[in-house]
Amino acid sequence: MLAFAPVCWADASFFETKIRPLLAANCYSCHGASAMGGLRLDTAEGFRKGGKSGPAVVPAKPLESLLIQAVRRTHERLKMPPTAPLSAEQVALLTEWVRQGADYPESKEATASAGEYVITDAHRSFWSFQPVRKPELPRVKEPGLSPVDRFVQAKLEAAGIEPAPPTDPRTWLRRVTLDLTGLPPTPEEMDAFLGDRSGGTRERVVERLLASPHYGERWGRHWLDLARYSDGQLAAGVDTPFANAHRYRDWVVQAFQKDMPYNRFVLAQIAADLLPEAERGELIAGMGFQSLGSRGDDQVDVTSKVFLGLTVGCAQCHDHKYDPIPTRDYYSMLGIFKSSTVTEYPLAPEAEVKRYKEQKAKIDAIKETLDDFLVAEQKQLVDMLARHTARYMVAAWKTNRGETADRTGLDGETLERWAAYLRNPEREHPYMKSWFELMARGPSESEVREEAERYQAFALKLFDDAKEVEDKNYVAFGGRKGIKDEKTRQYTNIVSLPVLEFYQWRELAGGPYNVDGHKVPAGVYYYSQKEMERWLSGFALDHVKQLRAEIATLEKDLPPMYPFVHSLADAAKPADVRIAIRGDAKNPGAIAPRGFLQVLSKGEPAHFDHGSGRLQLARAIASAGNPLTARVIVNRIWQHHFGNGIVRSPSNFGQMGERPTHPELLDYLAARLVESGWSLKAIQREIVLSAAYARGTAGDANAKEKDPDGRLLSRFRVQPRLDMEALRDSVLAVSGKLDRTVGGPAKPIADDNFRRSLYLTVSRTRLDPALALFDFPDANATAEQRAVTVGPLQGLFFLNSSFVSKQAAALDERLRREAGEEAGARIERAYKLLYGRPPDAEEKKLGLQYVAGDGGEWRQYLQALLGSAEFTSLN
């Protein structure tokens, strides 16, 4: 079965980058101008009109849509495309598009040759394409304000708004500590801050937090959302693991920790492999940005959105509908990435790498031989056992009745499995229904034998049908090599048994599996490869033992896996690519010379012909003369401190993006970034030490009327819930269980995994349900901003989760150690650990009453405190 992580692209680029290219490549040849079946899919009008069979889609209802039925091949007549089925991923994308409403924007024709699209002065006059100029500080009535606050105050004064008063010191410390480190302040840090009456206290706090090793972890995670970081690659059932993905993640963390100049940070993630060797070593791991995701169009889309705040991917099939980005520009950038290949960059001597690869290849070859042999034996065993199904069922019936059964020629373990299987009448299919109805009537032995023989005939027919399905899929996969290749398995449309028959087959012959955290046992006749030895004898058994001995001998001599980073390298023959008219590679247009975007170039863009051109692209993006790069990153920093950016569409600075609420402030911060040597920490100091950042969340009536959603920063935005990482890490921190080790390979989320959430395994195929519950982003696409939902399921998680329960128990033990057995002292310590304050009289009274009352329990009390809004929110 194929499973995909949920897809959600909120912006209009979903259609342009995912759906239109898919339609162009697979549908336009028949449903373009020729309009076969009366259906045109190359225009919005034709799509909405539908064809002779009716409307192509029913918006928001994929299962009722002809288009989805056709590409899934579930329609009795329509099977599309007629030549070969779409891949499972393509079907999933179309299904998601229809579910979202099947929006089909009008389009312009693709540019077929260079020179047709002219970038005008009007295009260049758009605010985000203008050069960054450091503005004069505005004059304001209130004296002594920082430069950041003067820009904010000028807007407020112009609107006739009084800003909200500062928040209390305790809230400010909690806010800034969680913002900069993702962890709550300790009681000792809170006491030291509140008790310090000397000058410069807040400045010293900020310096301490910026120097904390947890600063890089917190801000590195923000970047990983943009980089669509994952520890594996999208696959059919579970991710195909990236052996060294964590090296990119750890490099990002250290880059933020060391305050690597941002222009260097950009350069490293586009072309570190092309830098001189002396520079390469420190930066090469940054190439994970390009090599851990998909190829080609994804790299163009993500690189342009993340670094430039432009949706270049929308120009794949036609000139960009809104921004001055002709189709040629898209293919100019695509040629750069098409001229690059994914590779490994070893961090070990060549001889060590060679020895490991040769030894591993020998082991893998023998393991494959052993695996093929045992799989064949497993199948034969199932066939043999299945022919005795009736005898097993009768013997199991007698066993369950406490009678002596005839076990002659029957395997004891298999009989026990049948007995257990027949004790449970709950089934997801109807094929055992007549058996259990017979059991309810109190049958005779002859009736049982007759029913068992009927069921055996059905089972043998079921297994024959399953073999036929397997034979067809063997051909579809292209033989044994295709079956073993994860990408081939993922993107090949295969046939299967009808779903109810499959459920029955799985209960008889399927292997064990997990679903939603529940472990489902193997089928009655299924024996794992480790269990197969007892079924073998003679030469077959000797063969298995010999192969396992050879593997063991070779593995003893296998050196440790050499370290490497995932990277790119220039292709042997870099080349420009042709424009694919309407996104259809079968309809090539003019060649698009590799180069930069025309609107960001002076005159005609230079031809990037030094190898792939990636280093030239990286330098163009990281240039101080580029009007977008500095603006985009300072806006992202502002976003993570205030909840929204100065531009509220952080990855779209184009026409369809939001306009900046404080354009002069944005340019001031961008200019300051370059002046500071591209230091992100320097910008953060100015932001978190501003009066705007220190404001309370409650404004007066006038402010709420004139600034209803806080765009003018008259008050601090209420943030109703911490993100998943800060929430989980805070629980571990206050319980005393947090493992603060920095870096290293990822491990799956588990109750006994106490690492920071940054180090949890991130899957592209099956996102862990606990991560998804708290809005962790889909790693298949760049995530510019986290969704923040607050709902009952999250509250239930805090009430019922074994993780929270165990951390409440650990917190209970910590309170006993640090505050003793006296209940009042323990409640006081709990409030200081969780909330940074002592309980008020009423809170303490209620706490004492609960833990002293009938049924009152400390762990339940502490679990309730951990789930409170004060602990789970920022303000």
Side-chain angles (χ1 to χ4, degrees):
M1 296 180 70
L2 293 172
F4 293 94
V7 183
C8 183
W9 288 272
D11 56 278
S13 67
F14 177 32
F15 180 83
E16 301 299 351
T17 60
K18 302 294 181 182
I19 301 303
R20 198 190 294 274
L22 192 162
L23 296 175
N26 298 281
C27 308
Y28 286 1
S29 57
C30 295
H31 299 291
S34 57
M36 294 181 65
L39 176 64
R40 287 197 70 164
L41 292 176
D42 60 338
T43 67
E45 180 184 359
F47 168 75
R48 286 191 287 267
K49 181 180 176 183
K52 294 178 181 178
S53 298
V57 303
V58 179
K61 295 182 179 180
L63 297 181
E64 299 178 22
S65 299
L66 286 177
L67 174 66
I68 301 305
Q69 294 171 13
V71 298
R72 286 183 173 178
R73 298 182 170 239
T74 58
H75 193 277
E76 60 183 9
R77 179 172 52 84
L78 303 174
K79 313 287 184 183
M80 297 293 164
T83 53
L86 298 179
S87 72
E89 184 182 37
Q90 290 171 320
V91 172
L93 286 169
L94 285 170
T95 303
E96 178 63 19
W97 172 56
V98 174
R99 189 191 66 77
Q100 290 183 14
D103 180 48
Y104 194 127
E106 298 287 350
S107 68
K108 295 181 286 185
E109 290 294 314
T111 302
S113 60
E116 294 181 8
Y117 191 110
V118 177
I119 304 294
T120 67
D121 290 341
H123 288 141
R124 298 182 191 277
S125 68
F126 187 67
W127 77 267
S128 65
F129 302 137
Q130 290 293 297
V132 174
R133 294 184 177 88
K134 189 176 181 181
E136 294 290 330
L137 298 182
R139 294 185 178 184
V140 292
K141 297 175 184 177
E142 187 174 343
L145 292 179
S146 71
V148 167
D149 287 313
R150 287 173 67 171
F151 288 106
V152 174
Q153 185 64 22
K155 287 278 187 179
L156 294 175
E157 289 180 2
I161 298 174
E162 282 292 325
T167 191
D168 62 277
R170 183 194 69 81
T171 299
W172 181 87
L173 183 65
R174 177 173 166 78
R175 181 184 294 171
V176 74
T177 305
L178 280 163
D179 265 0
L180 291 180
T181 69
L183 297 171
T186 66
E188 293 71 29
E189 289 168 346
M190 184 65 73
D191 289 344
F193 175 65
L194 298 178
D196 191 343
R197 296 292 182 265
S198 63
T201 309
R202 296 196 176 194
E203 287 80 357
R204 288 194 295 274
V205 165
V206 171
E207 290 305 318
R208 171 176 62 80
L209 295 173
L210 290 174
S212 164
H214 303 305
Y215 164 82
E217 292 176 317
R218 178 62 172 167
W219 284 80
R221 181 59 255 181
H222 291 321
W223 185 263
L224 295 175
D225 282 9
L226 296 168
R228 78 270 192 244
Y229 172 81
S230 172
D231 296 290
Q233 193 158 10
L234 184 70
V238 295
D239 281 14
T240 302
F242 285 125
N244 285 265
H246 69 278
R247 297 186 188 280
Y248 171 67
R249 179 244 289 148
D250 291 350
W251 177 85
V252 169
V253 168
Q254 289 306 310
F256 276 94
Q257 190 65 44
K258 295 175 181 178
D259 199 19
M260 178 182 288
Y262 182 69
N263 59 345
R264 187 170 175 80
F265 183 68
V266 172
L267 198 69
Q269 294 178 88
I270 300 175
D273 59 304
L274 302 176
L275 293 171
E277 190 171 347
E279 295 181 71
R280 200 181 309 151
E282 179 193 4
L283 303 179
I284 188 64
M287 289 303 297
F289 182 93
Q290 302 292 345
S291 57
L292 295 179
S294 300
R295 298 284 289 117
D297 57 347
D298 173 74
Q299 290 168 309
V300 173
D301 183 56
V302 175
T303 299
S304 62
K305 282 181 177 176
V306 171
F307 298 116
L308 298 172
L310 292 177
T311 55
V312 176
C314 292
Q316 182 175 359
C317 297
H318 52 75
D319 295 335
H320 200 292
K321 284 167 56 62
Y322 308 108
D323 299 331
I325 305 172
T327 304
R328 192 192 82 162
D329 281 9
Y330 171 84
Y331 288 94
S332 292
M333 287 187 69
L334 182 66
I336 295 170
F337 291 108
K338 287 284 189 182
S339 296
S340 307
T341 59
V342 174
T343 187
E344 295 177 3
Y345 187 91
L347 304 176
E350 185 177 346
E352 182 181 331
V353 174
K354 182 181 179 184
R355 180 174 171 236
Y356 176 85
K357 286 185 173 181
E358 290 177 349
Q359 191 75 353
K360 186 69 167 55
K362 294 176 184 177
I363 294 170
D364 289 345
I366 299 175
K367 281 185 174 180
E368 184 175 10
T369 299
L370 175 61
D371 182 69
D372 288 346
F373 177 78
L374 288 175
V375 167
E377 292 294 314
Q378 283 175 309
K379 292 177 180 178
Q380 288 187 23
L381 177 61
V382 169
D383 287 344
M384 291 188 292
L385 291 173
R387 297 190 177 280
H388 298 276
T389 294
R391 292 188 59 213
Y392 274 112
M393 292 178 74
V394 173
W397 170 69
K398 288 189 172 183
T399 299
N400 286 339
R401 286 163 56 93
E403 300 177 10
T404 301
D406 179 9
R407 296 176 176 239
T408 305
L410 300 181
D411 175 65
E413 182 179 350
T414 308
L415 178 56
E416 290 175 7
R417 290 183 180 187
W418 262 111
Y421 181 71
L422 294 180
R423 285 195 291 270
N424 179 17
E426 298 297 326
R427 295 283 169 248
E428 295 181 286
H429 55 78
Y431 306 112
M432 297 292 295
K433 183 178 180 181
S434 60
W435 171 271
F436 288 112
E437 287 177 346
L438 180 65
M439 294 300 104
R441 296 198 299 268
S444 65
E445 184 172 337
S446 62
E447 288 177 314
V448 171
R449 289 187 184 281
E450 182 180 349
E451 177 61 25
E453 287 169 0
R454 182 205 65 77
Y455 180 81
Q456 176 176 304
F458 159 75
L460 293 176
K461 173 67 166 56
L462 176 66
F463 283 7
D464 283 343
D465 290 345
K467 287 178 187 176
E468 185 175 347
V469 165
E470 186 177 11
D471 289 344
K472 290 179 180 178
N473 290 337
Y474 184 88
V475 174
F477 285 131
R480 60 192 291 270
K481 288 187 177 181
I483 289 175
K484 294 177 181 180
D485 180 71
E486 188 61 54
K487 282 192 173 181
T488 302
R489 286 173 58 82
Q490 180 182 347
Y491 296 120
T492 301
N493 271 34
I494 57 175
V495 295
S496 65
L497 289 168
V499 63
L500 295 180
E501 290 185 16
F502 171 75
Y503 289 159
Q504 173 65 97
W505 175 88
R506 186 172 61 187
E507 291 175 0
L508 293 177
Y513 64 96
N514 289 310
V515 56
D516 295 333
H518 175 62
K519 188 173 183 180
V520 180
V524 176
Y525 292 144
Y526 178 88
Y527 286 90
S528 68
Q529 292 191 4
K530 289 183 179 179
E531 297 170 313
M532 280 300 300
E533 278 197 23
R534 77 174 181 86
W535 294 93
L536 303 176
S537 60
F539 186 73
L541 180 59
D542 291 341
H543 177 61
V544 169
K545 289 181 176 179
Q546 180 182 342
L547 290 175
R548 286 182 172 156
E550 290 178 20
I551 292 169
T553 300
L554 289 170
E555 284 182 338
K556 285 181 182 178
D557 195 39
L558 179 68
M561 172 68 178
Y562 60 91
F564 68 88
V565 296
H566 298 274
S567 182
L568 296 186
D570 277 3
K573 295 181 179 180
D576 300 329
V577 298
R578 289 184 178 276
I579 294 169
I581 298 178
R582 290 186 176 177
D584 184 359
K586 298 175 184 177
N587 189 12
I591 290 176
R594 284 165 289 150
F596 199 35
L597 303 179
Q598 296 177 53
V599 75
L600 298 179
S601 304
K602 294 180 179 178
E604 183 69 15
H607 187 198
F608 289 174
D609 56 358
H610 297 169
S612 65
R614 267 188 300 113
L615 184 55
Q616 291 162 290
L617 174 66
R619 286 178 171 149
I621 291 176
S623 168
N626 184 324
L628 286 166
T629 305
R631 282 187 177 122
V632 168
I633 189 58
V634 296
N635 185 67
R636 295 193 193 280
I637 294 172
W638 189 274
Q639 166 198 343
H640 288 301
H641 283 301
F642 285 89
N644 285 308
I646 297 170
V647 177
R648 293 196 172 196
S649 53
S651 289
N652 189 351
F653 276 40
Q655 286 282 357
M656 294 304 290
E658 297 255 5
R659 301 302 184 264
T661 55
H662 297 73
E664 295 83 5
L665 173 58
L666 182 65
D667 271 20
Y668 167 81
L669 292 172
R672 286 285 296 121
L673 177 68
V674 176
E675 286 178 357
S676 68
W678 296 84
S679 166
L680 299 183
K681 285 187 177 182
I683 299 303
Q684 285 184 285
R685 285 188 189 92
E686 292 202 45
I687 291 174
V688 300
L689 289 171
S690 68
Y693 181 75
R695 285 198 182 112
T697 57
D700 60 25
N702 179 57
K704 290 180 179 179
E705 180 183 350
K706 294 182 176 179
D707 187 23
D709 59 355
R711 286 176 177 258
L712 297 182
L713 304 169
S714 60
R715 58 193 179 277
F716 198 81
R717 176 175 176 264
V718 174
Q719 298 186 34
R721 180 177 59 75
L722 296 173
D723 60 35
M724 188 286 301
E725 295 93 332
L727 197 55
R728 178 178 175 275
D729 295 350
S730 293
V731 171
L732 287 169
V734 299
S735 74
K737 288 291 187 179
L738 182 64
D739 179 353
R740 297 173 184 261
T741 305
V742 175
K747 291 184 179 180
I749 188 171
D751 287 357
D752 59 353
N753 182 356
F754 303 137
R755 297 292 308 278
R756 288 201 68 171
S757 303
L758 171 72
Y759 305 115
L760 297 176
T761 302
V762 177
S763 171
R764 282 193 168 94
T765 307
R766 290 184 182 273
L767 184 61
D768 183 271
L771 302 187
L773 177 62
F774 290 96
D775 305 310
F776 192 89
D778 174 17
N780 290 293
T782 177
E784 64 177 14
Q785 196 160 11
R786 294 274 185 103
V788 180
T789 60
V790 180
L793 291 180
Q794 296 162 352
L796 289 171
F797 179 86
F798 274 90
L799 288 176
N800 301 312
S801 157
S802 60
F803 167 75
V804 177
S805 178
K806 288 176 181 178
Q807 295 315 306
L811 175 57
D812 184 25
E813 294 174 5
R814 179 178 184 179
L815 295 176
R816 292 176 188 275
R817 289 195 311 270
E818 297 180 0
E821 293 297 325
E822 200 274 314
R826 288 163 64 189
I827 290 174
E828 295 239 359
R829 182 63 176 167
Y831 268 72
K832 285 193 172 183
L833 280 168
L834 272 66
Y835 311 138
R837 64 174 178 85
D840 62 30
E842 184 65 17
E843 289 168 333
K844 188 170 183 179
K845 176 184 174 182
L846 290 172
L848 288 170
Q849 287 176 348
Y850 183 83
V851 298
D854 292 339
E857 184 181 317
W858 272 98
R859 293 183 185 182
Q860 293 174 347
Y861 171 66
L862 296 174
Q863 202 164 342
L865 295 185
L866 288 170
S868 68
E870 185 172 357
F871 182 74
T872 60
S873 66
L874 182 61
N875 300 299

